Each structure stands twice: as C-alpha cells, then as structure tokens.
Amino acid sequence: MMAQEKAPWALPESRRTEMIRIITDRGSVSVPALVDLFQVSADTIRRDLDRLADSGMITRTHCGAVRLREAGVLSVAVRMTTRAEAKQRIAAAAVALIRPGETIVVNGGSTTLAFAAALPAERSVALVTNSIPILGQLDLSGFSNVFAIGGEFLDVSKVTVGPVDFPHSDRIAIDAAVIGVRAMNAERGISTATVAEAKMISEMIRLARRTIVVTDAEKFSRSAFAAIAPLSDIDTLVTDADPPDDL
C-alpha cells in the first residue's frame, strides 16, 4: 500500500513561514482566505496566527492578521523574509570591502544582519552595534571584540537607540560604518523611520572614517520619516541594481 504524500503545508513551520510571506506581500489577510489556501481548519489557522503574533512577526486582528508596523517599520523577522536572496548577495559584496583587523560599527536591520553573519572569522574584525539580533543570534566568537551600544530598546526594530557614547572615546577609531536604511533618494539622502534612530545612525557615520550603505533597490526613490544624512556622506553604496539617474 502506497503511503499518502503529505500536503506541502502540513508542517506548521512551513505553513507559518508562508503565512509571513503572504501577509508581508498583501499587508493583511483573513482567516477564511488562509483556510482556503492551506486546506486546514480555522482553529489551526487561528493558532498559527496567534503563534506568529506572540513571536512579534505580525499583528493579530479579529478576522485575521496584518503586517506588523511601528511608525511604518516592518518587523526584522518579516523583513528577513523579503528579498532574502538579494540581501545575501549585497552582504557578500559588502564583506569584501572590510579589511582584516578593522573596527566597524553596524546598525540594526535585515541587510546588516545578513552582512554581519557573512563576515569570516579570519578577518578578526572588531564589532560595534546596536542590533539585538546581531548580538543575540550570531556566533560572535569570530569577532576580535564586540561592543554593544546601549539605550532605549525598540521592539519592532530590535535595536537600542541612544547616544553613541564609548568609554575613552578619544582612543576609539572606527574604520567603517556599515549602514542599512529604510529609504534613499536624491533630495533627502538616506532616511529611516524614527528620529531617535536617525540621530544615532548619523552619529555612527560621523565617527567612522568611511561609510558603506547596504540596501536593496526597492529603497531607491523612497523617503522615510527621519533623514539620516545626505548622499555626500556615503563613500560606497552596495546594492543589487543600478540606481535611477537622479540618485
């Protein structure tokens, strides 16, 4: 007797991963629509959505779920599933720009998380960051030193925001700031969702000898709420497509 093949979404993790993708693409989805798509019970869908909401990946509504936002910010968990291949290629290209023994400052974000994960241990890079996923999810033993920047914790972005203040700051030399952004356009330069985060990233750029912006092409010609810096402050842009002419 031939064993019956399982449906592709029979495993909860596969089903929930696809739910995140759908909610990210559409912005919202209803329980009945998910029942029709996955061919499971409404109770199963509700449990899946509750689990995703508890994990901070979506916002639960009475009849379904919506994309998680805070001041226009998608959660890091959701952003990691969006244009993942492009972000991996951007990360690999940015890693090639970092020299052995350098000290780098890296802000929070899905592309910068991919960048930090791709840094080989033999580079012996010293890391300064405000990204909780970088500090909590990666093996940090490959870095020569790790300095966590303190401040107020933003749950959706999974970062701390506050003054970039180092003990004995006159002895600290930052070789490169590796910066992920929410938006980039010719008029406003690079920008992000909150004033506090923009101020902190601006300080990271000021302290570094060179600035490398890592962003996918979907951020081109957009404008986020808070300006970080003009385009003239960027030394290198690492992206996955040619910028438009004005940029």
Side-chain angles (χ1 to χ4, degrees), residues 34 39 43 59 101 113 129 135 143 159 186 195 197 222 234 245:
L34 293 173
Q39 295 298 299
D43 284 343
T59 295
L113 176 60
T129 188
L135 295 169
F143 294 98
V159 297
V195 172
E197 202 168 355
R222 290 183 180 177
I234 301 170
D245 291 341

Side-chain angles (χ1 to χ4, degrees), residues 182-225:
R182 307 283 187 209
M184 184 175 189
N185 69 39
E187 282 188 12
R188 299 188 70 221
I190 53 176
S191 54
T192 191
T194 68
V195 172
E197 202 168 355
K199 184 177 180 180
M200 186 174 198
I201 298 170
S202 177
E203 185 69 4
M204 291 176 175
I205 291 172
R206 187 188 69 79
L207 290 171
R209 290 176 177 148
R210 69 186 193 279
T211 296
I212 301 166
V213 169
V214 291
T215 188
D216 63 85
E218 283 195 349
K219 308 292 180 18
F220 293 160
S221 301
R222 290 183 180 177
S223 180
F225 177 71

Side-chain angles (χ1 to χ4, degrees), residues 27-47:
S28 65
V29 71
S30 68
V31 169
L34 293 173
V35 168
D36 289 343
L37 177 62
F38 294 109
Q39 295 298 299
V40 295
S41 70
D43 284 343
T44 297
I45 293 296
R46 290 189 187 99
R47 284 194 295 269

Side-chain angles (χ1 to χ4, degrees), residues 143-204:
F143 294 98
S144 60
N145 291 288
V146 177
F147 188 96
I149 305 174
E152 179 186 358
F153 175 61
L154 300 185
D155 187 42
V156 173
S157 301
K158 304 299 183 196
V159 297
T160 57
V161 290
V164 185
D165 189 17
F166 303 104
H168 310 295
S169 58
D170 57 327
R171 303 178 190 176
I172 299 292
I174 305 292
D175 297 294
V178 180
I179 303 299
V181 300
R182 307 283 187 209
M184 184 175 189
N185 69 39
E187 282 188 12
R188 299 188 70 221
I190 53 176
S191 54
T192 191
T194 68
V195 172
E197 202 168 355
K199 184 177 180 180
M200 186 174 198
I201 298 170
S202 177
E203 185 69 4
M204 291 176 175

Side-chain angles (χ1 to χ4, degrees), residues 52-139:
L52 293 174
D54 290 343
S55 300
M57 297 181 181
I58 62 169
T59 295
R60 205 56 176 90
T61 65
H62 176 68
C63 59
V66 297
R67 199 163 43 195
L68 185 63
R69 290 186 178 273
E70 177 183 270
V73 182
L74 293 177
S75 71
V76 174
V78 170
R79 281 183 280 135
M80 287 301 295
T81 68
T82 306
R83 307 208 71 211
E85 182 183 353
K87 290 173 182 177
Q88 293 296 329
R89 291 189 287 115
I90 291 166
V95 162
L97 301 174
I98 304 302
R99 306 177 190 107
E102 287 196 311
T103 297
I104 61 174
V105 60
V106 181
N107 73 319
S110 55
T111 308
T112 50
L113 176 60
F115 161 80
L119 276 168
E122 58 266 25
R123 297 283 172 90
S124 298
V125 168
L127 172 68
V128 181
T129 188
N130 68 327
S131 167
I132 302 304
I134 288 177
L135 295 169
Q137 297 177 21
L138 302 186
D139 178 5

Side-chain angles (χ1 to χ4, degrees), residues 3-17:
Q4 186 176 5
E5 186 177 354
K6 286 188 175 181
W9 311 121
L11 295 176
E13 287 306 315
S14 297
R15 192 170 58 245
R16 290 167 191 160
T17 298

